[in-house]
Amino acid sequence: MIELKSAEEIGRMAVTGQFVGELLAELAGAAAVGVNLMDLEHRARRRIAERGAVSCYWDYAPSFGRGPFRNVLCLSVNDAVLHGLPHDYVLRDGDLLSIDMAVGIDGWVADSALSVVVGTPDPADLKLIEATEVALEAAIAAAQPGGRLGDVSHAIGEVAHSYGYRVNGEFGGHGIGRTMHEAPHVANSGRAGRGVKLVPGLTIAIEPWLCHSTDRVKYDADGWTIRSADGSRTAHSEHTVAITASGPQVLTRRATTAG
């Protein structure tokens, strides 16, 4: 069941979203050659505790994971794209890092992700990240009241294909609000004019993610970390968005990134 939010409730989600956006930008700036992934994880834990927020990831235990998730960030490096477990890994020159986080403040949740290259970038990696960011912005622009959810999905798929990438249909965006995952599912490819009607009060997390040369994925033995099936690089961008009468409102916008 889809729960529509009032303007006041969207405002409370926006408070959470501002914190998520600010912390993501801080973490992206801290990601550098020689930094351990666990340094980023512990920095995020401190910031979340200082703010009085609650991580939506801690103790999250869906069917696909092996045991509950005991971290506040998903940190996915190079061929890892989703649900990467923070671990003892020191970032190297040229690594492509995706950072994903969701927290709640006073009962209202926001979720966002970005990808960055640490050190010397490969142009192919920058293109891949750009494709996810452009797809995200196109999807946000398509999230107009009176439209359909398929318009959002179609916008993502069109951008991905224009860059020469294929789209995986197993994981996508989702409704969000009181909890991290609510209805509806937001696919990263679809047909315009189809699906759930976009009405004021609908709040969704839109999250295009792409692999460089495949649309298939594989799982690590931990049951969490999802990688490209062929070992190629990956990227991920995400924002929490509210549909309002005047158009889409991005609740996790961060001033220091294009996304």
Side-chain angles (χ1 to χ4, degrees):
M1 183 174 125
I2 296 174
E3 178 190 6
L4 300 180
K5 282 72 175 182
S6 67
E8 188 270 338
E9 289 169 337
I10 290 172
R12 293 173 70 182
M13 288 181 66
V15 171
T16 309
Q18 180 178 358
F19 171 72
V20 169
E22 290 173 352
L23 181 50
L24 265 183
E26 177 184 332
L27 294 169
V33 175
V35 172
N36 195 300
L37 293 183
M38 293 309 299
D39 294 338
L40 298 177
E41 168 69 17
H42 287 293
R43 178 190 286 245
R45 291 184 193 182
R46 288 195 302 272
R47 292 288 187 264
I48 290 169
E50 289 166 358
R51 181 59 179 81
V54 177
S55 170
C56 297
Y57 293 170
W58 196 271
D59 278 344
Y60 182 53
S63 59
F64 56 81
R66 181 170 294 178
F69 198 86
R70 289 294 173 87
N71 296 278
V72 302
L73 298 176
C74 290
L75 297 174
S76 305
V77 180
N78 296 334
D79 62 329
V81 64
L82 297 172
H83 310 154
L85 280 173
H87 60 285
D88 183 15
Y89 175 83
V90 176
L91 291 168
R92 304 168 184 170
D93 188 48
D95 276 347
L96 198 168
L97 173 66
S98 296
I99 309 172
D100 191 358
M101 65 174 291
V103 304
I105 296 176
D106 296 329
W108 294 97
V109 173
D111 188 1
S112 189
L114 55 73
S115 293
V116 295
V117 176
V118 175
T120 309
D122 184 320
D125 290 343
L126 296 180
K127 177 186 174 186
L128 185 64
I129 293 172
E130 177 184 285
T132 66
E133 293 176 341
V134 172
L136 178 56
E137 290 302 325
I140 292 168
Q144 298 294 332
R148 297 282 177 175
L149 194 59
D151 302 341
V152 175
S153 300
H154 178 74
I156 294 171
E158 286 293 290
V159 170
H161 296 146
S162 74
Y163 274 80
Y165 304 121
R166 289 175 283 176
V167 177
N168 176 284
E170 296 174 63
F171 294 92
H174 47 88
I176 188 170
R178 298 179 191 272
T179 62
M180 177 170 59
H181 288 146
E182 299 181 355
H185 173 69
V186 184
N188 283 333
S189 184
R191 296 180 63 182
R194 300 293 184 92
V196 173
K197 189 173 183 179
L198 301 177
V199 297
L202 178 65
T203 49
I204 54 178
I206 304 173
E207 52 178 314
W209 59 273
L210 298 168
C211 306
H212 183 266
S213 54
T214 185
D215 58 359
R216 296 185 300 110
V217 297
K218 61 183 179 182
Y219 291 79
D220 278 4
D222 60 36
W224 286 103
T225 306
I226 299 176
R227 300 181 184 274
S228 62
D230 62 358
S232 62
R233 294 287 179 107
T234 65
H236 179 201
S237 295
E238 177 183 17
H239 274 311
T240 295
V241 179
I243 311 301
T244 75
S246 58
Q249 178 184 352
V250 180
L251 305 183
T252 48
R253 184 71 75 187
R254 43 194 182 269
T256 57
T257 70

